[in-house]
Amino acid sequence: MSNARATHLTRRGILAAGGAVGLGAVLAACGDDDAKDGGSAGNETAAAKSGPWTFKDDRGQTVKADKVPANIVAFIGVAAALHDYGVEAKGVFGPTTTKDGKPDVQAGDLDVTKVTNLGNEWGQFNIEKYAALRPDALLSTMFDNTGTLWYVPEESKKKIEAVGAPSVGISVYDRQLTQPLQRMAELAKSLGGDVTSAKFTRAKKRFEDAAARLRAAAKAKPDIKVLVGSASQDLFYVSGTNLSIDLEYFKALGVNFVEPPESAKQANGGGGWYESLSWENVDKYPADIIMMDNRTQAIQPADITEATWKKLPAVKAGQVIARNPEPILSYDKCAPLLEVLAEALEKAKKVS
């Protein structure tokens, strides 16, 4: 492990356990790069537009260009979100395919065979391939307040910047889900995406209806405790709701979450995101529903063999649902997140 990566283990590990990014016990929140993509030559999106382009990102930096970017490189989750708005990236980085070559959960509906993958794992970013794409925009998210782009390796930052493409960062740190959703829609619009179509309108209404449903479900079941977890081979991470865009929003809608004390979240590299527990202590917090990190780097519930896990009341009751700690920021992809939790609450029995 490089020193550069090691210095970011704490931050990404923070995201790892149920925090904004969820597990990856070793995933350091080095930078949030959620890819923003621009249309390619055959697309009637960004590439079809002419004239100057400007966008003020969440670092407070305003990027300007003589024309709307057409050669977009983005973090896979950003590329997936922009795809939903009709904006296509040429290159992506971050978890794009699984070990068997299938699209990663973070790829959404993106056809991963039609984009150049610059690096599928943490710390990977092929600068030669990046330069060959002649990029005119580099897009990502940010999981901290330092302006670090997610999945853009710090050790390669200067070389990546030297290629010359302006970068855009959309913050997914310490705010509710609705804000980055709106910001992504604004970015998509600036790149030629369609945010006025019937498809967009339906997706946004579905999201709003799902939010109302979740609020009603939470109000009807105030005593149902929801624990947010992420599993690794040696540790189980319990996330607090602070800092994570989805959990902060769900809490605002009334969901009753298990909240590890701040001192526990700061210990062992949790940095305010999560508390790490040994599998022997996985029953520390009583819960009726467990939301589990569904990203590739996390061990999935069906593959957990620990006896202490199998004895948890929520597990025995079948009240375990999936959670993506890195939501794809389109209304189409976020509405189901609310619907799944709402349905779980509606059906949940008090077991803790």
Side-chain angles (χ1 to χ4, degrees), residues 284-349:
K284 180 177 179 179
Y285 297 107
D288 304 294
I289 294 173
I290 301 177
M291 299 178 69
M292 289 293 290
D293 186 347
N294 71 348
R295 293 170 307 151
T296 302
Q297 65 263 34
I299 297 176
Q300 298 306 300
D303 299 319
I304 299 175
T305 59
E306 301 290 340
T308 47
W309 163 263
K310 294 181 178 180
K311 292 179 181 178
L312 293 177
V315 175
K316 293 171 68 175
Q319 296 179 171
V320 178
I321 63 174
R323 175 211 175 203
N324 186 350
E326 297 182 68
I328 295 172
L329 296 172
S330 73
Y331 291 102
D332 181 71
K333 295 300 181 294
C334 286
L337 307 182
L338 280 72
E339 292 167 346
V340 167
L341 181 54
E343 182 178 8
L345 281 171
E346 292 163 354
K347 295 180 177 180
K349 297 180 180 178

Side-chain angles (χ1 to χ4, degrees), residues 227 236 238 277-285 308-309 312:
L227 181 145
F236 183 82
V238 179
L277 300 174
S278 66
W279 283 103
E280 289 75 14
N281 295 316
V282 73
D283 59 353
K284 180 177 179 179
Y285 297 107
T308 47
W309 163 263
L312 293 177

Side-chain angles (χ1 to χ4, degrees), residues 171-193:
S171 179
V172 289
Y173 175 76
D174 195 18
R175 60 201 62 204
Q176 293 183 24
L177 178 61
T178 47
Q179 185 174 347
L181 265 174
Q182 177 62 33
R183 292 291 287 146
M184 188 64 71
E186 291 170 359
L187 177 61
K189 181 180 179 181
S190 80
L191 294 168

Side-chain angles (χ1 to χ4, degrees), residues 30-36 72-76 91-96 116-133 135 137-140 149-167:
C30 180
D32 276 32
D33 5 285
D34 275 340
K36 320 274 178 215
I72 294 173
V73 174
F75 172 73
I76 183 62
V92 299
F93 52 94
T96 302
T116 298
N117 189 348
L118 305 180
N120 205 61
E121 298 180 6
W122 184 258
Q124 295 180 351
F125 193 107
N126 191 309
I127 299 175
E128 290 72 24
K129 287 185 177 180
Y130 176 61
L133 289 172
L138 176 66
L139 315 174
S140 188
L149 296 179
W150 189 233
Y151 264 83
V152 174
E154 284 291 291
E155 62 270 27
S156 305
K157 181 180 177 181
K158 291 183 178 180
K159 291 182 179 180
I160 293 170
E161 291 177 342
V163 174
S167 65

